[in-house]
Amino acid sequence: QVQLVESGGGLVQPGGSLRLSCVASGSIFSINVMAWYRQAPGKERELVASITTGDRQTYADSVKGRFTISRDNAKNMVYLQMNSLKPEDTAVYYCYLTWGPSVYWGQGTQVTVSS
């Protein structure tokens, strides 16, 4: 049984920063992809950023230059450093882990950007 637990969400003013963390536990294949998705009210879930075990990263165009994804393979953790936050970044952020046909999701953490 694989579980993902996110933390670090909250309320922040526009221009502020937050750091999300996600820890994976259970039987995890050593070569995998971890990612952050988000879903805003009334919108579809979208990929924010992903990172492979080998540290290859991808970002949505809307967050390039503002968000940074990183991971600690020894701890099975993935992070999302979010800077210069905008109101349109408000969403529930989900941690994601996959290898082969296996896909796992966290329960989500709310990020609200508002003055």
Side-chain angles (χ1 to χ4, degrees), residues 38-55:
R38 68 185 180 187
Q39 187 166 20
K43 295 188 176 181
E44 292 189 356
R45 192 172 296 189
E46 63 174 356
L47 176 66
V48 176
S50 68
I51 185 167
T52 68
T53 317
D55 205 35

Side-chain angles (χ1 to χ4, degrees), residues 12-80:
V12 63
Q13 292 187 342
S17 298
L18 279 176
R19 187 190 194 213
L20 305 183
S21 300
C22 172
V23 58
S25 60
S27 298
I28 300 167
F29 190 62
S30 58
I31 301 174
N32 57 64
V33 177
M34 299 190 80
W36 290 95
Y37 282 73
R38 68 185 180 187
Q39 187 166 20
K43 295 188 176 181
E44 292 189 356
R45 192 172 296 189
E46 63 174 356
L47 176 66
V48 176
S50 68
I51 185 167
T52 68
T53 317
D55 205 35
R56 182 162 52 184
Q57 303 164 25
T58 62
Y59 294 92
D61 288 343
S62 59
V63 307
K64 282 181 181 176
R66 300 188 298 122
F67 291 11
T68 302
I69 191 170
S70 61
R71 63 185 293 165
D72 184 332
N73 293 331
K75 297 180 179 178
N76 288 322
M77 293 193 71
V78 64
Y79 308 96
L80 187 68

